Amino acid sequence: MHAPVQIRPLQVCHLISSFSPVVGGAETATHGLCTALRRESVDVVVLTRRWPGTQSTEMLTGFLVQRAGLPLVGKLGSLSFGLSSIFQLATRFRNYRIVHVQNIDTPLLVGLIMRVLGRKLVATIHGEAMLHKRSASALGRLRLTLMRRYVHRYTAITDEVAAQLRALGIPEGRIDRIPNGVDTESFRPPTIDQRAAARSGLNIDENTPTAVFIGRLISLKQVDLLLRAWKAAMSDAGGRLLIVGGGPELDRLEGLAAELEPPGVEFLGPRDDIRALLAAANLFVLPSRQEGLSMALLEAMATGVPPLVSDLPGHRSVVEHGVNGWLFPATSQQHLEALLRATLGAAQRSDRPGRLARQTVEDRFSVRHVAGRHISLYDELSSA
């Protein structure tokens, strides 16, 4: 009698320049995807750059994170990461035949080398801005040419990214439109008691309309526009605005808030209790002038918090104006003011936009569904 055939699981290495504890959209999306893949019995490992103060090896939510290179900053750190990643993929992770690179910086260069050595190469582009930026220089254009020639398949998180890839001459058959995904079990509408506890922890009474911004404090997020709009719109409304996150703009924004004195604004800094903060909110605000497919937006909508966001391609792929949220022209303080007045109270009085926001994420952006689409892609590549 023959012994049963042992079927090897899919083995996939994700390459990304930064990872937990660094928090950003690409990092959060990759972490959630790898967690979901591991639950589906995919043998997945994350190979990332080692930054100062981080461990070289760590287990996170069921999968291995290997931080490669020396803990250096700048170009030396990037070079060390690249060389060490090539060595790790050629030795310790030589059985991982699929290499999935996140964005087109150092991981792509490593991935291209591994492609020449026989690996299957997948690339995810986390925003069309990445492609625009690379096309502005000769070296960047060379990188895009190599990417066009040697990457087996691309996952585009929005239709606009897919269109940019097609404009580079990449055939439609090599582009898979797969969005970011959110864990809809972890991010779900709070119970009445959970909402009350979250608000109590922030000293917010049940009748105070509350908005939240969550993101890295950089100029592209336009938190300064939000502060000015909030000052004009909410001077007599008694609402609260929670600004969650850190970054290079923090000091300037706190200075601007001290100058403007917008009512009810509180800077909370980086936080790891995002679910509780969303549970306390009536409205999620993201006024970016440039964005891919925001994980913070998907998490807010999954929690049942309707969004007020700038009218950008990535946001339009999720938000239907006046149905499950609201859109405003990206640089218009006037429109943001008007919508803050109109929507914050409405979001507090009615749960319909929040319910529809939750339904949108459940239907199209659950991480389990997204992981299943990735597994189909990996299976197809493995059998090719």
Side-chain angles (χ1 to χ4, degrees):
M1 186 174 182
H2 295 292
V5 176
Q6 296 295 315
I7 301 175
R8 292 173 63 87
L10 279 171
Q11 293 181 293
V12 183
C13 179
H14 282 253
L15 268 169
I16 187 168
S17 289
S18 58
F19 201 65
S20 177
V22 177
V23 177
E27 292 84 1
T28 301
T30 304
H31 192 160
L33 172 60
C34 289
T35 301
L37 289 171
R38 194 68 194 92
R39 289 173 183 161
E40 298 297 326
S41 300
V42 177
D43 183 354
V44 61
V45 63
V46 170
L47 188 55
T48 187
R49 178 172 172 175
R50 187 178 181 190
W51 294 91
T54 59
Q55 303 174 32
S56 60
T57 303
E58 185 177 7
M59 291 295 296
L60 287 178
T61 55
F63 62 88
L64 174 68
V65 178
Q66 178 65 49
R67 298 186 178 89
L70 299 172
L72 302 171
V73 297
K75 291 183 178 180
L76 281 178
S78 181
L79 177 62
S80 176
F81 164 51
L83 294 175
S84 178
S85 295
I86 293 168
F87 178 77
Q88 295 271 6
L89 282 164
T91 55
R92 183 178 182 184
F93 302 122
R94 63 183 178 276
N95 291 326
Y96 288 73
R97 308 309 301 172
I98 297 175
V99 175
H100 189 153
V101 302
Q102 304 289 340
N103 274 328
I104 54 175
D105 46 10
T106 303
L108 176 64
L109 299 179
V110 174
L112 290 171
I113 292 171
M114 302 317 297
R115 163 68 170 86
V116 173
L117 297 177
R119 307 294 174 88
K120 300 291 187 178
L121 183 57
V122 180
T124 293
I125 313 299
H126 285 277
E128 64 269 23
M130 273 282 188
L131 298 172
H132 287 301
K133 181 179 178 181
R134 292 300 177 192
S135 64
S137 68
L139 283 176
R141 289 190 293 273
L142 174 61
R143 183 175 301 194
L144 293 177
T145 297
L146 293 172
M147 181 183 79
R148 179 175 64 244
R149 182 172 299 175
Y150 292 113
V151 172
H152 289 97
R153 296 284 279 274
Y154 302 82
T155 64
I157 63 172
T158 67
D159 289 336
E160 284 65 32
V161 172
Q164 285 290 315
L165 291 170
R166 289 193 298 270
L168 289 172
I170 296 165
E172 183 71 38
R174 289 167 57 197
I175 302 170
D176 292 79
R177 173 69 168 83
I178 305 179
N180 292 334
V182 64
D183 186 344
T184 53
E185 293 302 313
S186 295
F187 288 90
R188 58 186 309 112
T191 64
I192 293 174
D193 289 343
Q194 288 170 337
R195 180 178 292 278
R199 286 192 158 233
S200 175
L202 293 164
N203 296 315
I204 302 172
D205 68 56
E206 62 179 281
N207 297 316
T208 300
T210 301
V212 62
F213 164 90
I214 300 172
R216 184 161 166 76
L217 298 180
I218 56 177
S219 61
L220 289 176
K221 300 290 185 179
Q222 295 195 129
V223 177
D224 51 354
L225 181 77
L226 174 58
L227 291 173
R228 292 188 175 93
W230 184 269
K231 164 75 173 182
M234 308 300 293
S235 57
D236 300 318
R240 291 281 296 276
L241 172 61
L242 310 177
I243 297 176
V244 181
E249 288 275 291
L250 177 59
D251 290 344
R252 186 182 75 82
L253 291 170
E254 287 183 328
L256 178 62
E259 175 188 332
L260 295 175
E261 297 185 341
V265 172
E266 186 174 0
F267 287 83
L268 299 182
R271 298 282 290 253
D272 56 10
D273 56 344
I274 298 301
R275 286 188 288 268
L277 295 170
L278 289 171
N282 305 111
L283 187 71
F284 171 81
V285 187
L286 185 59
S288 306
R289 67 174 179 269
Q290 191 177 88
E291 195 80 53
L293 180 54
S294 166
M295 285 300 299
L297 169 61
L298 295 179
E299 289 169 353
M301 293 176 69
T303 310
V305 182
L308 170 55
V309 296
S310 46
D311 190 0
L312 300 175
H315 294 164
R316 286 197 301 273
S317 70
V318 189
V319 179
E320 184 178 355
H321 182 71
V323 178
N324 61 1
W326 300 272
L327 299 161
F328 73 95
T331 58
S332 174
Q333 179 181 325
Q334 181 180 3
H335 283 86
L336 180 55
E337 288 175 21
L339 281 170
L340 282 170
R341 292 190 191 97
T343 62
L344 187 54
Q348 186 186 34
R349 291 188 297 271
S350 171
D351 66 352
R352 185 174 184 274
R355 284 190 289 105
L356 293 175
R358 167 72 183 185
Q359 191 64 53
T360 298
V361 173
E362 284 186 323
D363 290 346
R364 296 168 49 206
F365 300 97
S366 75
V367 75
R368 184 173 182 179
H369 173 68
V370 168
R373 294 187 62 187
H374 278 88
I375 291 171
S376 296
L377 169 60
Y378 297 151
D379 278 333
E380 186 178 335
L381 283 174
S382 295
S383 60

